[in-house]
Amino acid sequence: NNYMNIHILQKNLAENDFEVVERKGVGHPDTLADALAERLSSAYSQYTLSQFGAVLHHNFDKVGLLGGASHVTFGDGHMTAPIRVLINGRASISFAGKPIPLNELLTEWVREFLINALPQINPERDIDIHFNLSNASSPGKTDEEKAVHGTRQYWFEPRSLDDIGELKRLVANDTSLGVGSAPRTNLEQVVLEIEQRLTSPDMRNRYPWMGTDVKILAHRIKSRFLITMCIPQIANHVPDVEAYKRNLEISRGIVMDTLAQFGIDAENCELSINTRDKFDVSELYLTATGSSIESGDEGLVGRGNRIHRLITPVRPMSMEGAAGKNPVYHIGKLYYITAQRISDEIFALLNLKNEVFLSSQSGHDLFDPWVAVVQVGEDASQEQHQKIEFIVEENLRRIPALTEEIIQKGVSLS
């Protein structure tokens, strides 16, 4: 057994009297930035795999979206200044001397993504792409004479598959931490369900005025629930202020129905929607696209939902921006997803509340974390300890399969 550092500890994981849960909806600029970064990484991985037989070195985990400007009145909304897409990061630009048409590929993938995410935009006029890509290697590429025998010199311009070290041995590219916890609380589940319901294709077909930049902040204090949220409306489908108010009531009804399905009683819940609306001066959450990205708001990778798709400050969290990171060896992605999967599996198989922490050491074997800690909420038997160790080890062994899943199918990280 190579896994010497799995520590199984006991901790009181009883539910607190207080929790706070946030969700930034699929149309929120930060969530859009995460999803775009992940799309670019996945598309680039598929392209280089099919062209050259390996995923070439890249990271798109610093992608940014800078808000444009829009003109909005009842019955009409359109962009007046484009969304600026900042393609920050690093990517291989050639293989065996053959150039990769990087800018053309990225432009195609960005447009495809944004047209799908924000169908109201005009791709020719409303998207402005800025390339800020580097092909400088990470620290380690010295200019010493002996360095020509290493692969760092050719990190982003490999001469052959021999220059891609991870094909021979997978090591952690970084010193980092992945965390997971299970099960979800009732509040976590309901917040996710509300946002998914409001932004679902079915809901948008039924209510074309419904925007996707839904944001929810929910508190539970003992048995009382306090929820505040923003729900944008799309101006082309809102003819007047009466329609806007009716739509607010429809939204409220959908949210209250969802809360009731999770056993949250209206008497124990205070729900606020669009608290900044001022009807006397027509300051309303009325948009051209259904997202605040049209009006100066910005989105950056890693500032939104964690990989369990929520922001949960009273739970263990890592500040890693997992989206866009290289899916072959980047610990900030692989250990974070793996920690959550370990946690879910421990709860599903052993019914133990738990928290999982996986820490890497740069250059250390990828399948053997520097430190792995599982905290369980009650005293676990020796047999359960062995099963937990097995679950941890199995999930670490599955990392190459996880890489394939991320590249081919996509794993929702936001």
Side-chain angles (χ1 to χ4, degrees), residues 153-173:
Q153 295 276 5
Y154 307 100
W155 196 252
F156 292 109
E157 298 173 77
R159 297 160 296 181
S160 69
L161 294 177
D162 280 345
D163 280 337
I164 301 173
E166 60 272 20
L167 296 177
K168 303 181 191 84
R169 180 175 171 241
L170 269 176
V171 297
N173 75 310

Side-chain angles (χ1 to χ4, degrees), residues 59 61-62 90 138-139 152 155 171-178 320-321 325 329-333 335 358-366 369-370:
N59 280 310
D61 57 337
K62 302 293 188 295
R90 294 179 290 180
S138 301
R152 281 281 174 192
W155 196 252
V171 297
N173 75 310
D174 197 1
T175 297
S176 192
L177 168 72
E320 277 292 359
K325 281 181 163 51
Y329 53 70
H330 208 307
I331 288 298
K333 172 179 272 176
Y335 272 18
L358 299 178
S359 295
S360 65
Q361 218 175 31
S362 194
H364 197 79
D365 190 313
L366 192 75
W370 174 48

Side-chain angles (χ1 to χ4, degrees), residues 6-7 57 69 94 109 143 152 173 188 208 262 265 313 386 398 403:
I6 300 174
H7 305 275
H57 297 144
S94 68
W109 297 331
D143 294 300
R152 281 281 174 192
N173 75 310
E188 288 167 0
F262 282 80
D265 195 313
Q386 287 171 344
R398 282 183 212 143
T403 294

Side-chain angles (χ1 to χ4, degrees), residues 19 36 57 73 99 111 116 152 189 198 206 223-224 249 263 266 271 273 288 310 319 324 341 365-366 375 391 399 405:
E19 63 177 317
L36 173 58
H57 297 144
T73 57
R111 288 185 168 200
N116 186 51
R152 281 281 174 192
Q189 291 182 71
L198 288 172
R206 199 182 316 170
S223 59
R224 183 146 182 76
E249 286 314 306
L271 173 65
I273 300 176
L310 295 164
M319 292 310 295
R341 291 189 172 188
D365 190 313
L366 192 75
Q375 297 193 131
I391 290 167
I399 283 178
E405 185 187 342

Side-chain angles (χ1 to χ4, degrees), residues 5 12 84 88 114 123 141 155 251 286 302 310 333 377:
N5 282 325
N12 180 6
R84 287 157 294 160
N88 308 324
L114 284 174
K141 182 191 85 66
W155 196 252
S251 305
L286 199 61
L310 295 164
K333 172 179 272 176

